[in-house]
Amino acid sequence: MELWVLGTSAGRPILGRNVTSVALQMPQNRGTFWMIDCGEGTQHQLLRTPFRLSRLEKLFITHLHGDHVFGLAGLLSSRSSLGGTEPIALYGPPGLRELIETTLRITETHLGFALRIYEVGEGVVFEDDAFSVEAAKLDHRIISFGYRITERPRTGALNVKLLGEIGVPSGPLYGKLKAGEDITLEDGRIIRSLDVVSSPIPGRVIVVLGDTKPCNSAVELAKGADLLLHEATFSHHLADKAGEYGHSTAVQAAETASAAGVKRLLITHFSTRYKDEDLEALEEEAKTVFLASDIALELKPYKISR
């Protein structure tokens, strides 16, 4: 799995930085990618990546401020014009359905695929046999969600060498043991799956937060995550302004990461007052609290390993 940050600018794009959007490359056997937010210009950014719109499976919207949604209708229209036919599931706060359906209607945009819109609340908003997605409300000027994407554990490895030594014939019996079933051999011996299969391999956890002030729900949502993407709109010198506008500083993002015990923090959503050469200072501020902090770089793949 890889996370690509397609935009790191807050409010509006500037030269060299686009507004908010994230792409998440799903495991190879799934063959798809997911997105979180879709600010203006997102489809231009996607053209500079390996992602194909036809493989977009799900799109999660954190909140309805323009820098997070103004690219959505255009992206959906382009996917249709490119021949995309597989359905897309779109998740987000109340008002998302009205925004999309009204825009498509008055622009007479007709999609060639099914668009399934889910206006979500807190709790699990999606799950299948491989992943679950949980949403939690944050503390912003309007309803803003964070999303916790959790990969289910993978079955442990089968100890083939041991099975050979104790005389278990390869074939269907191996499959039963791998699936957690105990087996009985022809000579009456019982082989327990627990004895020949290693512990389950934990799944990966990725947490992407919408705009927010520091809050307990952000910490709870991010608990133990492999990767946390957190806004850091201002430096700590502007903490009062951050609070006034419902945002966080780099230090506050790092404090959330530390309290949640995450493995890695990426900070993003930088105020346009900061030029590229200023971002290193924001990173250093975060590192004073949480060492495993980095500024998110646009169009750089961040690998998320098991």
Side-chain angles (χ1 to χ4, degrees), residues 231-251:
E231 70 128 292
T233 308
F234 297 106
S235 76
H236 72 280
H237 301 294
L238 295 175
D240 289 344
K241 181 178 286 291
E244 179 183 355
Y245 287 96
H247 289 297
S248 296
T249 67
V251 167

Side-chain angles (χ1 to χ4, degrees), residues 95-137:
L96 179 62
R97 179 180 298 277
E98 181 183 4
L99 171 69
I100 296 304
E101 291 183 348
T102 300
T103 303
L104 296 180
R105 175 176 54 80
I106 66 177
T107 60
E108 297 189 5
T109 300
H110 304 286
L111 303 181
F113 55 86
L115 178 62
R116 297 164 183 161
I117 302 174
Y118 303 94
E119 293 188 338
V120 305
E122 293 191 287
V124 175
V125 299
F126 166 78
E127 58 183 339
D128 63 12
D129 60 357
F131 287 90
S132 67
V133 181
E134 178 185 357
K137 283 185 180 178

Side-chain angles (χ1 to χ4, degrees), residues 5-11 18-22 35-40 42 62-63 66-69 208-211 229 268-270 298:
V5 180
L6 305 178
T8 60
S9 185
N18 205 55
V19 285
T20 300
S21 185
V22 176
M35 291 179 62
I36 302 94
D37 286 337
C38 190
E40 178 186 359
T42 291
T62 62
H63 64 295
D67 58 328
H68 294 253
V69 298
V208 177
L209 302 183
D211 293 359
L229 185 68
T268 185
H269 199 268
F270 309 117
E298 293 188 13

Side-chain angles (χ1 to χ4, degrees), residues 13 17 119 136 203 291:
R17 293 212 304 271
E119 293 188 338
L291 190 58

Side-chain angles (χ1 to χ4, degrees), residues 9-29:
S9 185
R12 60 180 173 83
I14 62 173
L15 187 64
R17 293 212 304 271
N18 205 55
V19 285
T20 300
S21 185
V22 176
L24 181 63
Q25 177 68 61
M26 303 305 286
Q28 189 172 10
N29 63 341

